[in-house]
Amino acid sequence: MMKILLVDDEKRIIEVLEAYLEREGYEIHTADNGIDALKKVKTVSPDLMILDLMLPDISGEEVCRLVRKDSDVPILMLTAKSSEDARINGIVMGADDYVTKPFSPREVVVRVQAILRRVKKTEKVDKFEFNGGQLAIDIDKKEVTVNGQFINLTPIEYKLLTNMALNPGRVYSRMDLLEKIQDEGMFYEGYERSVDTHIKNLRKKIELDSRQPAFILTVFGMGYKFGGILDAANTSV
């Protein structure tokens, strides 16, 4: 049974979503504040987290940022903020999707199911091909090829590429990427710009034209995202 951590300080929302999600067969755990939510991410190990942005102690954005330091658990944000900037900020922080309040509980259930289907599909895939086979990543062998030619990536470059490729469209700030690769011994607070050098080198190796990249895209003022299109026919599920 898949476990969902539901984080909201509004009792009525907890009760309604819990009822709907339990009806679909999910095991529900709840928290009404950010500190408790962070603890339960570690003790419960949920398969998905539904996170309200307006919490009484620390913001949902901060909870999301802290969770993302150690976990790739999918996060569905609940927000009363309907502005484009607020939604973009949530995605940049690491959310996988968002629902704006007021919402339909059925919509939340559908979005939860969609996210978990994507995660389940990704977990079964051991080789990814993008843009008609132009770029291929073999997770088991830790190999990358471009147009069938093996590309020699450094451990840092490989981590940057796989983290972004497995989450296409998600915007990563430089600090996000540093945190993903810090176990390679290059994480130093204040040196976010060093990511730019690694991205530049990675582009030279995997892009047909590094000045007009198709895979590692710059999101001005925010960071980077993966722009490749997954070849569905070449995924092993």
Side-chain angles (χ1 to χ4, degrees):
M1 182 181 295
M2 285 193 159
K3 295 177 288 186
I4 295 178
L5 176 58
L6 178 54
V7 185
D8 200 302
D9 64 335
E10 296 185 46
K11 184 178 179 181
R12 179 58 180 164
I13 288 179
I14 290 282
E15 291 175 345
V16 171
L17 289 181
E18 187 171 15
Y20 271 79
L21 291 165
E22 284 183 341
R23 192 181 305 160
E24 297 297 321
Y26 299 111
E27 177 183 324
I28 306 302
H29 298 262
T30 65
D32 60 7
N33 63 77
I35 298 299
D36 191 27
L38 292 171
K39 292 178 181 177
K40 288 188 176 179
V41 167
K42 295 182 178 181
T43 59
V44 173
S45 296
D47 296 288
L48 182 140
M49 184 178 186
I50 299 176
L51 176 63
D52 182 30
L53 291 187
M54 305 296 289
L55 297 173
D57 50 356
I58 57 179
S59 70
E61 288 99 337
E62 180 66 7
V63 172
C64 184
R65 188 186 70 80
L66 292 172
V67 168
R68 279 289 172 259
K69 284 187 173 183
D70 305 306
S71 173
D72 287 322
V73 59
I75 297 176
L76 173 61
M77 282 188 169
L78 304 180
T79 174
K81 303 175 181 178
S82 59
S83 71
E84 181 180 8
D85 286 346
R87 296 195 302 269
I88 290 174
N89 188 53
I91 299 299
V92 171
M93 283 288 180
D96 295 86
D97 201 354
Y98 64 87
V99 176
T100 304
K101 294 181 178 180
F103 54 79
S104 161
R106 291 176 59 193
E107 179 186 1
V108 174
V109 171
V110 169
R111 287 180 182 265
V112 165
Q113 293 170 335
I115 293 171
L116 291 175
R117 279 198 302 270
R118 290 199 300 268
V119 171
K120 186 177 181 181
K121 183 176 181 180
T122 299
E123 288 176 345
K124 291 183 177 180
V125 175
D126 54 18
K127 185 174 182 179
F128 297 83
E129 295 186 3
F130 302 90
N131 293 24
Q134 180 181 328
L135 174 69
I137 304 173
D138 190 315
I139 301 299
D140 280 348
K141 296 180 181 179
K142 292 187 176 355
E143 290 182 351
V144 174
T145 59
V146 173
N147 291 330
Q149 299 298 311
F150 175 75
I151 304 299
N152 185 23
L153 299 182
T154 68
I156 288 175
E157 291 165 354
Y158 179 80
K159 268 203 164 185
L160 286 172
L161 176 60
T162 54
N163 271 288
M164 286 191 283
L166 295 182
N167 296 279
R170 174 182 165 185
V171 179
Y172 287 87
S173 68
R174 292 175 178 84
M175 183 59 73
D176 289 335
L177 293 173
L178 279 174
E179 290 173 349
K180 291 290 184 184
I181 59 178
Q182 60 182 314
D183 59 338
E184 299 296 343
M186 55 83 65
F187 176 70
Y188 301 97
E189 186 174 358
Y191 282 77
E192 298 100 316
R193 291 290 174 178
S194 63
V195 168
D196 294 342
T197 300
H198 294 290
I199 291 292
K200 181 179 179 181
N201 293 336
L202 178 59
R203 280 175 170 163
K204 287 180 179 179
K205 294 179 179 181
I206 70 169
E207 302 283 2
L208 296 182
D209 183 353
S210 61
R211 294 169 299 180
Q212 295 182 312
F215 299 111
I216 309 300
L217 308 182
T218 299
V219 182
F220 292 101
M222 295 183 182
Y224 300 98
K225 70 177 181 179
F226 186 79
I229 300 174
L230 182 65
D231 300 340
N234 293 318
T235 57
S236 52
V237 295

